[in-house]
């Protein structure tokens, strides 16, 4: 088994929640608490949530983590 990691980022909108919910529905697990920071260039709050998943395959850099 291999643990893979990804960090989902998005403006603080419902789209962020949908992206995290989709990852959870595909077997990813939350890794730590979400983070929030103000993006002064865009003038919006940005969200981030790390997620992990156990997979059977070995990790390789060409993996499309969002499709796992």
């Amino acid at each position: 088994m291999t643990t893979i990691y990804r960090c989902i980022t998005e403006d603080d909108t419902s789209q962020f929640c949908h992206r995290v919910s989709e990852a959870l529905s595909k077997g990813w697990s939350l890794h730590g608490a979400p983070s929030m920071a103000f993006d002064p260039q865009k003038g919006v709050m940005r969200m981030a949530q790390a997620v992990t998943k156990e997979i059977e395959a070995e990790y390789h850099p060409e993996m499309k983590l969002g499709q796992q």
Side-chain angles (χ1 to χ4, degrees), residues 13-32:
T13 65
S14 62
Q15 181 62 24
F16 172 75
C17 298
H18 288 293
R19 290 184 65 205
V20 173
S21 295
E22 178 183 34
L24 295 173
S25 75
K26 292 182 176 181
W28 291 82
S29 298
L30 298 176
H31 184 78

Side-chain angles (χ1 to χ4, degrees), residues 9-64:
T9 61
E10 185 75 43
D11 291 349
D12 185 17
T13 65
S14 62
Q15 181 62 24
F16 172 75
C17 298
H18 288 293
R19 290 184 65 205
V20 173
S21 295
E22 178 183 34
L24 295 173
S25 75
K26 292 182 176 181
W28 291 82
S29 298
L30 298 176
H31 184 78
S35 296
M36 178 183 277
F38 183 71
D39 180 342
Q41 290 183 330
K42 291 178 73 176
V44 298
M45 294 301 290
R46 296 277 297 165
M47 299 294 297
Q49 175 64 61
V51 292
T52 59
K53 184 177 184 180
E54 295 288 328
I55 60 170
E56 294 289 334
E58 284 190 35
Y59 169 78
H60 56 86
E62 296 80 30
M63 289 178 130
K64 303 285 188 211

